[in-house]
């Protein structure tokens, strides 16, 4: 029995986590869900968006499945997602993008897994004003050998474990010669240890074009934080969007699985939320727990529902159903 911290979160979070736990329980996953609070709801109720009990529970059980959290724009508390990644040094952000049956997209046969460095780069927001008048701002990108080695090794290890053929490292080392230059240099060093895996590097602007021109040429991708932020959403866009792609944040001591979309306040409580993204994140969690067969069984049930029971799917992916009808359709197949 695995104890997994479950953070339903805000907005549609309750609905989609309920759906996902129902599907995993129906499939026979051996999980004890330890429900914890975070986000706007926790802030309103307990005066903090990230209660100490939640942090303690993740420290203890080391694995969390997290729904979306509402982050106030402008004033108010900082992003809890970013805080959790930093607190537990979840340096690998892993975002698969796989073409799905019967999902509207001009691209077929896409099967990409993107590894984004999650703790450094330009993304960390180390910014300052140069002048008192606030007419000149600067931002600092941080890249270290340690963190780069970790994420690039994680990408190669994943490729090796999953029989992937190629790792593409994305950078801008022609211009940002020190920061992304270091990242590229380390990539070339690590690639030598994996002679069975093809290694290539691409400059990020070319990469953006290539991903749209011919996404099928990419397999595993590894890149720095901000490029990964952008390219991982691009990759999601190739297969139907953020509603149908999962994500994992993995460190040496803890892992957090989450959907990348937000709390969707516009549809919260209406039964319209699509749980697929969180479900695919939960399947990554099952793989992390060394239960790939169970993950595959659930994935197959989802594919069958997308293919043969489209009417039961939620409206955002062209169905006529609700969170409940979609969940039931998947569970009915799992029970057979
Ligand atoms: P959003 O992703 O919540 O919504 C954008 C659009 O996509 C909306 O029309 C929404 O209805 C739709 N949508 C999103 N998820 C869906 C799902 N599972 N099924 C069906 N439709 C779905 O992005 P938005 O509106 O920019 O942000 C809302 C709140 O979520 C903000 O407070 C933001 O800070 C937070 N947020 C949290 C994230 C997280 O916890 N990982 C990530 C992104 C945003
Ligand atoms: Mg993003």
């Amino acid at each position: 029995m695995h104890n997994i911290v479950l953070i339903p979160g805000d907005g549609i979070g309750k609905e989609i986590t309920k759906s996902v736990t129902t599907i995993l329980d129906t499939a026979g996953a051996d999980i004890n869900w330890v429900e914890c609070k975070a986000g706007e709801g926790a802030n309103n109720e307990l005066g903090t968006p990230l209660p100490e009990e939640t942090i303690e529970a993740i420290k203890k059980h080391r694995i969390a499945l997290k729904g979306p959290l509402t982050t106030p724009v402008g004033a108010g508390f900082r992003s809890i997602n970013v805080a959790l990644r930093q607190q537990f040094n979840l340096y690998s952000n892993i975002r698969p993008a796989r073409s799905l049956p019967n999902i509207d997209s001009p691209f077929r046969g896409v099967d990409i897994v993107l590894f984004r460095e999650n703790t450094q780069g330009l993304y960390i927001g180390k910014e300052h004003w140069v002048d008192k008048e606030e007419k000149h701002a600067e931002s600092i990108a941080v890249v270290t050998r340690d963190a780069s080695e970790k994420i690039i090794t994680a990408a190669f290890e994943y490729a090796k474990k999953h029989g992937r053929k190629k790792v593409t490292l994305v950078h801008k080392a022609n211009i940002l010669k020190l920061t992304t230059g270091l990242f590229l240099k380390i990539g070339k060093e690590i690639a030598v240890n994996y002679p069975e895996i093809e290694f290539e590097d691409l400059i990020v602007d070319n990469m953006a074009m290539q991903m749209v021109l011919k996404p099928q040429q990419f397999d595993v991708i590894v890149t720095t934080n901000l490029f990964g932020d952008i390219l991982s959403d691009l990759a999601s866009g190739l297969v139907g969007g953020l509603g149908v792609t999962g994500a994992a944040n993995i460190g040496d001591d803890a892992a957090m699985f989450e959907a990348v979309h937000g709390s969707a306040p516009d549809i919260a409580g209406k039964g319209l939320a699509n749980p697929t993204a969180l479900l695919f994140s939960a399947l990554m969690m099952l793989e992390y727990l060394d239960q790939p067969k169970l993950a595959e069984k659930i994935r197959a049930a989802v594919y069958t529902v997308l293919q043969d029971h489209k009417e039961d799917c939620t409206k955002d992916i062209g169905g006529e159903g609700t969170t409940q009808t979609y969940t039931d359709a998947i569970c009915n197949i799992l029970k057979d």
Side-chain angles (χ1 to χ4, degrees):
M1 173 80 84
H2 296 281
N3 289 309
I4 305 286
V5 174
L6 179 72
I7 303 173
D10 300 313
I12 58 170
K14 269 206 180 59
E15 299 157 66
I16 60 177
T17 47
K18 182 83 186 46
S19 162
V20 169
T21 54
T22 303
I23 292 167
L24 263 64
D25 293 346
T26 304
D30 199 13
I31 290 174
N32 174 42
W33 301 104
V34 180
E35 196 168 319
C36 290
K37 296 187 170 109
E40 191 183 47
N43 195 46
N44 294 343
E45 192 182 328
L46 305 166
T48 166
L50 186 54
E52 196 55 39
E53 302 90 84
T54 301
I55 294 177
E56 286 306 316
I58 301 174
K59 271 189 193 150
K60 184 167 172 205
H61 303 300
R62 295 149 54 108
I63 302 179
L65 179 66
K66 190 187 76 55
L69 309 177
T70 299
T71 309
V73 177
F77 56 84
R78 293 179 55 223
S79 164
I80 300 309
N81 299 315
V82 175
L84 283 170
R85 288 172 196 169
Q86 281 167 354
Q87 166 106 27
F88 293 100
N89 191 24
L90 306 174
Y91 56 84
S92 279
N93 182 246
I94 309 172
R95 295 268 305 265
R98 247 177 241 151
S99 292
L100 294 162
N102 214 2
I103 292 282
D104 194 27
S105 163
F107 303 99
R108 303 286 8 147
V110 176
D111 186 3
I112 291 171
V113 182
L114 190 142
F115 281 70
R116 159 188 175 190
E117 203 292 319
N118 221 3
T119 63
Q120 311 198 317
L122 195 57
Y123 192 90
I124 53 175
K126 271 195 181 228
E127 298 187 304
H128 59 260
W129 293 110
V130 174
D131 60 343
K132 282 203 203 75
E133 297 77 35
E134 300 194 349
K135 288 179 177 171
H136 181 171
E138 282 180 352
S139 194
I140 296 169
V142 174
V143 173
T144 68
R145 172 168 277 276
D146 269 4
S148 305
E149 279 176 353
K150 280 189 159 193
I151 184 73
I152 297 166
T153 302
F156 272 100
E157 282 298 317
Y158 178 95
K160 187 171 156 187
K161 186 170 173 201
H162 293 86
R164 296 275 181 162
K165 305 228 158 12
K166 183 166 83 169
V167 171
T168 303
L169 183 146
V170 182
H171 62 88
K172 188 77 189 178
N174 52 330
I175 304 296
L176 303 169
K177 292 181 197 291
L178 300 190
T179 49
T180 87
L182 175 62
F183 194 77
L184 172 60
K185 179 168 181 275
I186 293 167
K188 286 180 176 168
E189 288 169 16
I190 291 174
V192 174
N193 305 326
Y194 299 86
E196 72 281 17
I197 298 166
E198 186 189 339
F199 176 70
E200 67 177 2
D201 70 272
L202 261 76
I203 296 173
V204 63
D205 38 352
N206 180 25
M207 182 67 180
M209 179 186 70
Q210 294 291 340
M211 281 176 78
V212 175
L213 272 181
K214 195 165 179 274
Q216 300 82 358
Q217 67 183 297
F218 297 112
D219 192 343
V220 173
I221 298 170
V222 63
T223 189
T224 48
N225 204 344
L226 183 61
F227 297 161
D229 180 42
I230 300 165
L231 294 179
S232 59
D233 274 22
L234 194 164
S236 288
L238 299 171
V239 299
L242 297 186
V244 292
T245 42
N249 297 281
I250 298 180
D252 290 331
D253 306 317
M256 185 173 76
F257 300 83
E258 61 178 345
V260 235
H261 60 69
S263 54
D266 53 332
I267 57 165
K270 296 181 180 163
L272 300 173
N274 182 357
T276 308
L278 188 67
L279 179 58
F280 284 165
S281 309
L283 300 190
M284 296 174 79
M285 183 182 81
L286 290 179
E287 284 170 8
Y288 181 83
L289 293 170
D290 240 350
Q291 300 185 32
K293 288 212 177 90
L294 190 60
E296 209 35 63
K297 178 176 148 186
I298 299 173
R299 180 180 300 281
V302 173
Y303 282 22
T304 304
V305 170
L306 292 176
Q307 189 65 56
D308 301 334
H309 304 274
K310 194 65 184 269
E311 69 286 355
D312 291 330
C313 296
T314 49
K315 295 196 172 70
D316 59 302
I317 49 172
E320 297 155 19
T322 61
T323 315
Q324 190 65 47
T325 60
Y326 182 62
T327 307
D328 290 345
I330 295 170
C331 288
N332 285 338
I333 290 167
L334 290 169
K335 280 181 205 150
D336 277 349

